[in-house]
Amino acid sequence: MARKLPSLERVLGAPALFSVAYGEIASSIYVALGIVAAKALGLTPIVLVAVGLLFLVISLSYAEGTAAIPETGGAATFVRKAFNDLAGFMTGWVLFLDYLIVMALSALFLPHYLAGAFQVGALDREPWDEIVAVCAIAGVGLVRLVRRPGFYSIGVVVAALDVLTQLLLLGFGFALLATPGALTHGLDLGTSPTWHSLLFALPLAMLAYTGLETVANMAEEARRPGVDLPRGVFTAIALVVVVYVAIAYIGISAYPVENGQTALGTTWLKAPLIGIAQALEGHLGSAVVAAVRGFVGVSGGLILLASIATAVSGFGRVAYSLGEHGMLPRAFGRLGRRTHIAPESIVAAVSISVVLLVVVQAAAANPVIFLASLFSFGVLLAFIAAQVAVLRLRVTAPHLARPYRVPLDVGVRGRRLPLPTMLGLAGTLAVFVISMVTHPGARYAGPAWLAGGLIVFYLVRRARGEGMLEAVASPDEQELSEPELGRILVPMKIGMIGEEMLATAIKLAQERGSSVEALHVIRVPLDAPIDRPVEQAERRAAESLEEARALGAENGVEVVGQTVRARSIGEAIVHEARKRDADLIVLGSAPRWRRQSRFFSPTVEYVLRRAPCEVLVVAFPRGVLEEDGG
């Protein structure tokens, strides 16, 4: 059956990419601020600046890699291109870990923001916070299984909520909470914070800058990857760093360091922005504080839900890239019509993240710090691999078209290599070493995750009969898989073509175990009331539907019939297909339209343009079924 396969479309320009990038990266503050403050104390803004600058340098390499190879998959794609499938898979595997942790942490913090908004104490404590977290992940997964929210619309909403919330807190914060000596209050470097805590905070701060991979994953959807991606990402990151530092300064001003700790990293660990809103108590009226706290809590909850949804989509896009190239089972490399990523990816992401959340909550002494440490392991490895891949491609593929190039090339053994990438790689390696030395979660759980990935890769390649290092190219055209057909809608038409279309629908239903929904549309002219008596037309409709049911019964297929009135037959067909959630519409095209320099009738053309599902059209040649039945 000829049909259009679902595909990623280039529809996002620089403004849309900026919205997505800002929304994705800036939303991390809802989770990361308290975690970083718990270890860095008064030096939290300094740590966020340092890591933010490193992140900006790393993003230069991502911009070059995605512009040169504008395919979905992010770092996993250009690592595969630079090295081999095994290296690409392992990069994708650690990205999976990061997406899962973003889902788990976002869900874990969600009930605490809601608790602050609605003053429901139970949501701040076990077991309700964990129950709500699990339900949030499962709910997002169920929604993603039935519909595909547009990245652009989500990005705009998240970015708008971020901006409003951050402007609100910064406005009140600088006016009422800012204290010039806040960062040095209680500061005794080596004691408060200790050197170990300060080093520990550096990898944790990587959690504050999530979202780069999600944006890189959208390279296949950017209109001009070499222009729009760098412009959108760099602008967003620069703005995010400034906002982060300002909010961290306000947070430390509201909760200065006392006795070697700040309430921002203890009492308000899981809802730091709620803590800043609550600190306005005594400076503003109770009603105003409650309103600010409610807005911050509700917007934080919505942003964290969106973060879960985009993490699911990011997981699915990486899985799609790996599945396309034989590194995961084939099912992951197919795009679903409704979900636009493989439904198997959604189920896997939701299931694993729920298990991860529940197990870590039960086993870890400090689940939040453990998950943040494990996140740093995955994201740092991915950043290292991405920068090494960009350097290698400069050597092995010097003539590769690069719409965007990292600036400031230097000569190294006759090769022109980007200085920012080399400096970024050195900085990332240093932070990774710090992570492995100071973070038990990264040191033990991280390598265990990698070992699991090697096993998965080996089993997949063995099942396919392909080597571990063998490059498996994506086919130029996806293999046409038979679509799932739960409901087949066949508009009834008097005459031979109508009979043939009904027979075709019933035959397909026999093969797929589907049901057939026969639709008879009575067209009512515009100058007549829609409910005017049309006894003859209704009698003919009833007879045709009864014949359809009888033909279905003879062939073991259930046929459900319905008659509707409409001004336009095409509009009625599209409306009913959407209403019934049809999987396929079966139409026929009479030869007479081709004698009028048209291939299809106006009704068929309308349905083809507007149908919410797949459409099967049989165009009969001239001399066959010349009668179209009127």
Side-chain angles (χ1 to χ4, degrees), residues 357-378:
L357 188 153
V358 172
V359 170
V360 171
Q361 276 283 95
N366 192 328
V368 170
I369 298 297
F370 178 87
L371 287 172
S373 299
L374 194 53
F375 176 89
S376 70
F377 171 86

Side-chain angles (χ1 to χ4, degrees), residues 41 122 143 148 195 201 231 235 268 431 472 490 500 512 533 543 575 591 611:
L41 302 179
V143 171
R148 173 177 63 95
W195 286 109
R231 183 183 301 169
T235 307
W268 302 106
V431 178
V472 178
V490 53
E500 286 296 317
R512 312 291 175 80
E543 291 173 355
H575 174 75

Side-chain angles (χ1 to χ4, degrees), residues 135 147 171 176 183 229 242 384 424 441 453 476:
C135 291
R147 69 174 303 213
L176 304 172
L183 303 187
L229 271 171
V242 173
I384 289 169
D476 293 333

